[in-house]
Amino acid sequence: MEPRQDLYNTLAEDLGDFVEESLQPDGEWKREEQDAWHRCSTFLKDHCFQDQLVAGQKVRVLKVEEGGSYGKGTSLKHTSDVDLILFLSCFSSFQDQTDLRKIIIDFIKKKVDHYSQSLAYSISVIPNWSRNPRSLAIQVQATKNSNVIKVDVLPAFDVLGKASPDSHLPQEIYENLITCEGYPGEFSPSFTVLHQHFVKSRPIKVKNLLRLVKHWWYLQHQKHKHAKVTFPPKYALELLTIYAWETGTNESENFDLAQGFRAVMELVRDYSNICIYWTKYYNFENEAVKIFIKKKLKEARPVILDPADPTNNLGRGKRWDVMAKEADYTLQQACCSTVESWPVQAARDVQVEVEVQGEEVQTLMVDPYRPIGKMKKSIEEKCHLTGQQRLSVQEPGEKRKRLSSSETLADYGLFARVTVSVLVTEPGEIQVFVKDSSGHSKPYAVYPDDFISDLKEKIEEAGGPPAEDQILTFPGHKVRYSSNLSDLQVQDGDTFLLFRKDY
């Protein structure tokens, strides 16, 4: 019987036993994985680079780290996913890694071929015809009777050094990562320690849920049914699972496995709304990093940002539509059809800072898929406002946008902490924006019959320069101090440019 039938015919209450019997690696398999990793590690540290010049310089192995499912503690039974991250002295920057990686991989390949005859075990290179490979795949077999284990060797720049995953990482690390402009996720191996810690620190039951999801996707979905389709990486499913557990159970260690499995399948089925990220290692403190993250969150959904590498959107460019159909089918099977799902949103609530002129800033937590009209009601209650609310937002490097009551924050790509300006207008008033030389703009309520002098006084009252020091321009019109807004044909939502007189 195919494994996929085993899973789909398993009752929800029996999923725990299914994972233990069918998916958890036994002691012998764990020992063989560990032995293969140790043999590769020893070969690379003790034999590969000794007294050799590579690209004109001596190369030292700074350290090796365990990656993949093996390093995260989520290996599947009789399925090897062992990564060996090789941190080398010749990489002093991300650019070095880009320039020298292929040379290093070719060098290791030659050394493996050379030493394989003299080693007391079988080790060989799996061919890779890529012009610019990121890794070298090696097969290791300790004895004739043992399993063949595949180990992927990934050379990497040691950007983290001795930094602990639990410490506050300097955000300049991520600023350098962003400015080096590699392709998405190119330098993720440099952050392996963080990947490993992010998953490995989870409770055992969460790792079993991860195994269950990977079993559905990797063994059943990719290998058996759609072998030629390009699906998201397994890591994307791992992150979705961790997100579902965090938000659906409030990180409880005591949960129902079938409910968790159902929650993940529902997320996959409804993939077009997914936008998730973490601020465990990178955050919004650094301006360059903040701008970059917010831009990534505006990409076409699903968006699943690697918690250790913000350049890597794991939801991008894959056949989620095909996988969603399989998830929908899975939801109808015995393994999860009889249980309720966890209450998991497709995106976390957004922290909204509400700015009303002359009032203290208020904070709301808002579901990004909730209509903005409902957010206005919350603002009205919290800020005790009367009159018509006009909401607007200006993201870094962008123009100020008006927020429509019928839209959602998600419609504007707003999934991270945002400041919303609230302008209360009376009947007959319109909203105009005034943008200063830095590119920042503010909203103002005016009547069409107001004069430029009236607008200047409002700008001064709101903390702007004195009225006599202001120069206002309006595209396509000559603005005088006594100009009437209606004469300038100012419309609701138009923008003035503000300059300060240079005496």
Side-chain angles (χ1 to χ4, degrees):
M1 184 183 292
E2 284 187 344
R4 73 190 313 271
Q5 295 300 320
D6 289 345
L7 171 61
Y8 287 161
N9 292 336
T10 300
L11 296 177
E13 58 266 30
D14 296 331
L15 278 184
D17 293 336
F18 173 80
V19 172
E20 185 175 345
E21 295 169 6
S22 303
L23 304 183
Q24 282 185 342
D26 54 32
E28 181 62 29
W29 179 255
K30 286 181 179 179
R31 282 190 292 273
E32 290 190 4
E33 276 189 321
Q34 187 175 14
D35 181 65
W37 189 90
H38 178 72
R39 290 177 188 272
C40 283
S41 174
T42 301
F43 167 76
L44 291 166
K45 288 189 293 186
D46 296 346
H47 301 289
C48 191
F49 298 100
Q50 202 169 41
D51 300 321
Q52 298 286 326
L53 292 178
V54 184
Q57 60 179 305
K58 284 189 175 182
V59 177
R60 291 181 298 108
V61 176
L62 301 176
K63 61 184 178 183
V64 292
E65 293 288 350
E66 304 165 350
S69 296
Y70 172 69
K72 297 171 188 171
T74 58
S75 292
L76 291 169
K77 192 172 188 177
H78 302 303
T79 303
S80 64
D81 182 13
V82 180
D83 288 351
L84 188 153
I85 316 303
L86 186 65
F87 295 98
L88 301 173
S89 62
C90 59
F91 300 152
S92 59
S93 67
F94 291 119
Q95 190 60 50
D96 283 347
Q97 180 176 320
T98 299
D99 295 340
L100 300 175
R101 181 171 50 202
K102 186 178 187 305
I103 296 172
I104 292 292
I105 288 175
D106 288 343
F107 180 84
I108 297 173
K109 181 179 181 298
K110 290 178 183 178
K111 288 295 181 179
V112 171
D113 291 339
H114 177 73
Y115 276 98
S116 60
Q117 301 302 320
S118 61
L119 296 173
Y121 55 91
S122 173
I123 180 171
S124 59
V125 172
I126 300 173
N128 182 348
W129 308 115
S130 171
R131 292 183 179 179
N132 187 24
R134 290 181 59 189
S135 63
L136 180 70
I138 298 175
Q139 287 186 148
V140 181
Q141 188 174 23
T143 67
K144 286 185 178 180
N145 296 324
S146 62
N147 290 288
V148 175
I149 306 292
K150 175 174 167 280
V151 179
D152 286 318
V153 179
L154 295 93
F157 165 44
D158 186 21
V159 67
L160 298 178
K162 296 181 180 180
S164 166
D166 291 317
S167 64
H168 180 77
L169 295 178
Q171 292 303 290
E172 289 75 16
I173 289 175
Y174 287 106
E175 187 172 359
N176 292 336
L177 172 67
I178 291 164
T179 54
C180 74
E181 297 182 342
Y183 58 80
E186 179 177 3
F187 303 110
S188 287
S190 292
F191 301 93
T192 293
V193 173
L194 305 185
H195 289 131
Q196 185 179 346
H197 181 262
F198 187 79
V199 179
K200 201 169 186 176
S201 60
R202 309 296 172 168
I204 292 175
K205 197 166 185 179
V206 175
K207 293 174 187 173
N208 283 339
L209 180 57
L210 289 168
R211 288 187 174 99
L212 188 60
V213 171
K214 286 200 298 182
H215 174 78
W216 167 78
W217 179 76
Y218 185 65
L219 293 179
Q220 316 310 327
H221 191 73
Q222 185 181 27
K223 283 203 165 187
H224 287 275
K225 194 171 181 181
H226 301 286
K228 295 183 180 180
V229 177
T230 304
F231 288 106
K234 285 179 287 183
Y235 190 37
L237 274 293
E238 286 183 314
L239 292 178
L240 269 187
T241 303
I242 290 172
Y243 168 77
W245 168 72
E246 286 178 342
T247 59
T249 73
N250 198 25
E251 302 190 23
S252 170
E253 296 187 28
N254 183 23
F255 59 84
D256 184 85
L257 203 64
Q259 287 184 329
F261 187 47
R262 182 175 184 88
V264 177
M265 293 301 99
E266 288 180 357
L267 282 173
V268 174
R269 181 194 62 191
D270 304 328
Y271 69 93
S272 60
N273 288 331
I274 293 172
C275 187
I276 60 175
Y277 65 100
W278 288 263
T279 54
K280 183 175 178 62
Y281 305 120
Y282 54 81
N283 51 53
F284 298 100
E285 294 175 7
N286 181 289
E287 188 67 18
V289 176
K290 178 177 75 172
I291 292 172
F292 182 83
I293 297 172
K294 290 206 166 191
K295 190 176 293 184
K296 294 293 286 185
L297 296 178
K298 291 180 186 292
E299 291 183 351
R301 279 156 264 161
V303 173
I304 305 173
L305 288 195
D306 183 337
D309 177 3
T311 70
N312 196 14
N313 173 11
L314 295 149
R316 195 167 173 234
K318 308 297 181 182
R319 291 300 305 273
W320 284 87
D321 57 326
V322 179
M323 196 161 67
K325 291 180 181 178
E326 185 73 12
D328 187 53
Y329 177 78
T330 304
L331 286 166
Q332 302 170 45
Q333 306 311 306
C335 54
C336 56
S337 62
T338 59
V339 296
E340 294 184 358
S341 176
W342 292 337
V344 180
Q345 298 177 181
R348 301 180 195 273
D349 284 349
V350 178
Q351 181 177 318
V352 177
E353 304 290 330
V354 180
E355 284 187 344
V356 182
Q357 186 177 335
E359 303 288 340
E360 286 188 11
V361 174
Q362 300 289 339
T363 301
L364 297 175
M365 298 304 295
V366 178
D367 180 347
Y369 289 100
R370 181 188 183 197
I372 288 170
K374 291 187 177 180
M375 183 172 73
K376 283 185 174 181
K377 291 183 180 178
S378 298
I379 293 173
E380 180 181 338
E381 294 171 2
K382 193 150 192 169
C383 301
H384 309 291
L385 300 179
T386 58
Q388 182 182 2
Q389 288 183 47
R390 295 172 179 262
L391 307 187
S392 63
V393 63
Q394 184 174 21
E395 288 285 83
E398 298 182 8
K399 295 181 179 179
R400 182 167 289 276
K401 297 175 183 176
R402 291 182 289 179
L403 301 181
S404 169
S405 296
S406 60
E407 304 286 345
T408 67
L409 294 179
D411 292 324
Y412 297 95
L414 301 173
F415 289 96
R417 185 173 58 195
V418 65
T419 298
V420 171
S421 296
V422 181
L423 184 70
V424 179
T425 60
E426 300 298 333
E429 285 185 316
I430 61 172
Q431 176 179 235
V432 296
F433 302 120
V434 177
K435 184 167 68 172
D436 62 26
S437 57
S438 71
H440 181 70
S441 66
K442 285 185 177 182
Y444 293 90
V446 294
Y447 289 100
D449 292 334
D450 282 350
F451 293 95
I452 289 295
S453 56
D454 299 321
L455 178 55
K456 286 187 173 184
E457 288 177 7
K458 291 187 177 186
I459 294 171
E460 181 178 351
E461 290 172 1
E468 61 270 18
D469 292 343
Q470 298 175 28
I471 298 175
L472 284 179
T473 65
F474 187 65
H477 294 81
K478 202 169 196 179
V479 179
R480 295 184 179 88
Y481 188 81
S482 59
S483 295
N484 185 289
L485 298 184
S486 59
D487 293 339
L488 297 173
Q489 299 179 337
V490 175
Q491 302 294 316
D492 190 38
D494 281 344
T495 299
F496 284 85
L497 303 180
L498 171 64
F499 302 92
R500 189 164 189 158
K501 287 181 182 180
D502 186 12
Y503 293 101

